[in-house]
Amino acid sequence: MRNERSAALIIIENKIEAPEGTHQLALYEDEARKWCKQNNGRSLLVYLGREGREPKDDNDQWLNLSYLSLACALRNAWQKCQETPGGPWLKLYISTITRGLLGVHSKRLEHMNLDQIEDYVWEDTK
């Protein structure tokens, strides 16, 4: 991403089921460093997964993020811009994460508190 004054790179390692390969994250880190140096930019490395699990390698360069956390963050953004041209697409993506990846069905959530929602989301992983 670029504007007149700065550049940024976001790398998302999306782990639905498979673990990362040997040195996979180190390779991405090296590429991000090269890109940042060439573009005078900065990077954000995101390790995205169902439970927000830690990468195999002890590595503090990656932001560990669960699908539920991502869906919540995107929903917060969507609430601020739902009337913009991209609003329906963002809503569709949020729905894909919550229903498709996490199995959350909205009718079942209508009368639940946050603890019950978390229990529901993770019930098949316990």
Side-chain angles (χ1 to χ4, degrees):
M1 297 178 286
R2 297 179 193 278
N3 65 21
E4 299 82 37
R5 296 178 293 158
S6 59
L9 172 70
I10 299 174
I11 296 178
I12 300 174
E13 178 52 27
N14 187 7
K15 289 297 181 189
I16 294 176
E17 306 243 346
E20 70 269 14
T22 305
H23 307 297
Q24 180 181 8
L25 300 181
L27 173 67
Y28 297 157
E29 292 163 20
D30 289 343
E31 291 300 316
R33 271 191 292 279
K34 289 177 194 172
W35 185 91
C36 289
K37 187 175 181 178
Q38 291 172 347
N39 294 279
N40 194 26
R42 56 187 163 179
S43 66
L44 173 63
L45 308 173
V46 179
Y47 191 82
L48 178 63
R50 185 173 172 91
E51 311 87 21
R53 70 180 183 197
E54 299 283 328
K56 276 192 314 188
D57 298 329
D58 185 21
N59 192 323
D60 62 354
Q61 295 185 48
W62 291 81
L63 170 66
N64 299 318
L65 193 62
S66 69
Y67 288 115
L68 183 58
S69 296
L70 175 61
C72 290
L74 292 175
R75 184 175 183 272
N76 289 339
W78 172 78
Q79 286 178 318
K80 295 175 186 172
C81 67
Q82 56 188 296
E83 300 302 323
T84 63
W89 290 106
L90 184 54
K91 185 176 178 182
L92 181 61
Y93 188 68
I94 295 165
S95 176
T96 300
I97 294 170
T98 55
R99 187 169 182 144
L101 290 171
L102 299 176
V104 176
H105 301 280
S106 61
K107 290 182 180 179
R108 203 170 151 191
L109 298 175
E110 290 173 355
H111 304 289
M112 296 175 122
N113 66 36
L114 185 57
D115 289 335
Q116 292 170 316
I117 292 170
E118 287 178 356
D119 286 344
Y120 170 71
V121 168
W122 305 121
E123 70 186 8
D124 61 342
T125 63
K126 292 180 181 177

